[in-house]
Amino acid sequence: MALEFCVLASGSAGNATLLRADGQCALIDAGIGPRATDKRMTGTGIAVADIRAICLTHLDSDHFSPAWLSSICRQEIKVYCPERHAKDLRRLARQQKLLKPLQPLITLFGTEPFNIFPEVHCRTLRLPHDKQGSQGFVFEYRGSRLGFATDLGRVPVELIDLFAGVDLLAMESNYDPDMQLASRRSDRVKKRIMGGRGHLSNEEAFEAVQDILDLTEARLGAGRWPRHLVLLHRSRQCNSPAIVQRLFRQDPRLAPILTLAHQNQRTEWLSSERRQALPGEQLGLFELPPAIG
């Protein structure tokens, strides 16, 4: 069986991604409420009632909505939370008088790997984002791997090493520098976003993805690239699908595997399964998909 994921929402108004493996489903972040999530899941074959775990990158309001707390307690959904964000999670639960039922459902993690399901293993990496940081993940299931990183101010060298060889890659590509500088945002906001602890520019994301593919080739050989590349958390004010596609399609390795995540529209299910090439065919090299967005 394959490792699969579907980005339900990605952006400053809320982030949520479905992960499916071994017949079980989890969310990576829950930044839109349960009702909105359930509606966005239409057509996926999954409902909120099927969610058994939530893995949190961090506790910013666009990555975890307190509206989830009652559903988590009622459905006994396991919550995997970075240790440094535990105090904030407990504070939110206390405000809704749900700390007691929530407490046994919380698993705190640091740098050690853990399992979210019996056959779904998770390795984690701290990312530089604002004061407390965000968390990157590599989910592993029967030899398939998904690398997931969003809300990172810069790319640690360790991320390139950890993500090399993944079958599925989801990476933040937040802003276009020229649009950011020309925007009406305050200098303080611009400095926060562009200062190395905010978000990744398109160019920074592009360079990181190329480095991941280069290291993958060095280790595993040419052509052993991710099955899918999904770009996350695109700014609606300071970026555009056309700009992102134009940049990433400069690399012929990336053009055929590229998907842009959206704020108000989910992606399709994206699978780690690789089909066999036909005689004389090279998968993922030349055919460009239709423009997205």
Side-chain angles (χ1 to χ4, degrees):
M1 295 177 65
L3 185 65
E4 301 173 294
F5 78 116
C6 169
V7 181
L8 300 174
S10 186
S12 59
N15 297 269
T17 296
L18 271 174
L19 177 69
R20 180 166 65 183
D22 198 26
Q24 300 186 83
C25 295
L27 283 176
I28 308 171
D29 286 336
I32 56 176
R35 291 184 181 179
T37 300
D38 206 45
K39 185 176 180 180
R40 195 66 59 83
M41 287 179 180
T42 301
T44 65
I46 305 298
V48 164
D50 300 315
I51 300 300
R52 306 313 315 149
I54 297 174
C55 293
L56 298 174
T57 60
H58 59 308
L59 265 289
D60 285 358
S61 59
D62 59 326
H63 291 264
F64 182 71
S65 168
W68 269 96
L69 288 170
S70 59
S71 296
I72 289 169
C73 294
R74 184 173 61 254
Q75 295 177 209
E76 297 185 343
I77 299 172
K78 296 178 182 178
V79 179
Y80 296 88
C81 177
E83 289 176 342
R84 63 191 178 280
H85 293 285
K87 183 178 180 180
D88 293 329
L89 182 59
R90 294 187 180 114
R91 174 180 52 80
L92 293 172
R94 193 175 293 112
Q95 290 172 352
Q96 297 191 27
K97 300 181 180 180
L98 291 171
L99 182 58
K100 186 175 181 179
L102 179 68
Q103 193 71 36
L105 299 171
I106 300 174
T107 297
L108 302 179
F109 63 84
T111 58
E112 294 299 315
F114 58 92
N115 281 15
I116 60 170
F117 300 128
E119 290 196 69
V120 181
H121 189 66
C122 182
R123 299 174 65 187
T124 184
L125 174 69
R126 183 170 179 172
L127 303 173
H129 177 69
D130 291 339
K131 185 177 180 179
Q132 291 184 286
S134 180
Q135 211 72 24
F137 297 119
V138 171
F139 296 95
E140 302 176 346
Y141 172 65
R142 297 187 181 181
S144 296
R145 301 169 69 224
L146 161 64
F148 190 98
T150 186
D151 289 58
L152 58 164
R154 60 185 181 277
V155 180
V157 174
E158 296 85 354
L159 183 144
I160 305 301
D161 180 69
L162 185 62
F163 282 17
V166 298
D167 303 280
L168 302 165
L169 177 59
M171 174 76 72
E172 175 185 46
S173 186
N174 180 256
Y175 67 91
D176 172 73
D178 292 335
M179 292 182 69
Q180 185 76 249
L181 292 171
S183 73
R184 295 185 179 182
R185 292 174 169 176
S186 68
D187 290 341
R188 180 184 63 82
V189 170
K190 292 176 184 178
K191 183 177 180 180
R192 171 192 164 261
I193 292 172
M194 304 176 71
R197 298 191 68 85
H199 293 279
L200 283 191
S201 71
N202 296 334
E203 287 76 9
E204 289 168 326
F206 181 55
E207 181 179 352
V209 171
Q210 287 187 308
D211 287 345
I212 291 167
L213 266 65
D214 289 345
L215 186 54
T216 298
E217 289 184 11
R219 290 178 175 175
L220 302 174
R224 182 52 176 84
W225 307 316
R227 182 87 172 94
H228 296 283
L229 165 65
V230 180
L231 300 180
L232 305 169
H233 218 299
R234 186 178 68 256
S235 170
R236 289 182 288 180
Q237 291 181 317
C238 299
N239 211 345
S240 78
I243 288 175
V244 174
Q245 290 184 55
R246 186 162 54 247
L247 175 62
F248 278 78
R249 290 188 177 200
Q250 291 177 13
D251 189 328
R253 300 174 299 179
L254 304 182
I257 63 175
L258 182 64
T259 295
L260 304 191
H262 296 272
Q263 183 67 81
N264 298 313
Q265 177 184 341
R266 68 170 175 83
T267 67
E268 298 300 317
W269 279 111
L270 303 172
S271 172
S272 63
E273 188 174 20
R274 296 172 182 270
R275 69 178 177 85
Q276 295 296 315
L278 298 174
E281 179 186 21
Q282 291 178 291
L283 291 179
L285 284 179
F286 303 117
E287 182 181 358
L288 296 182
I292 302 167

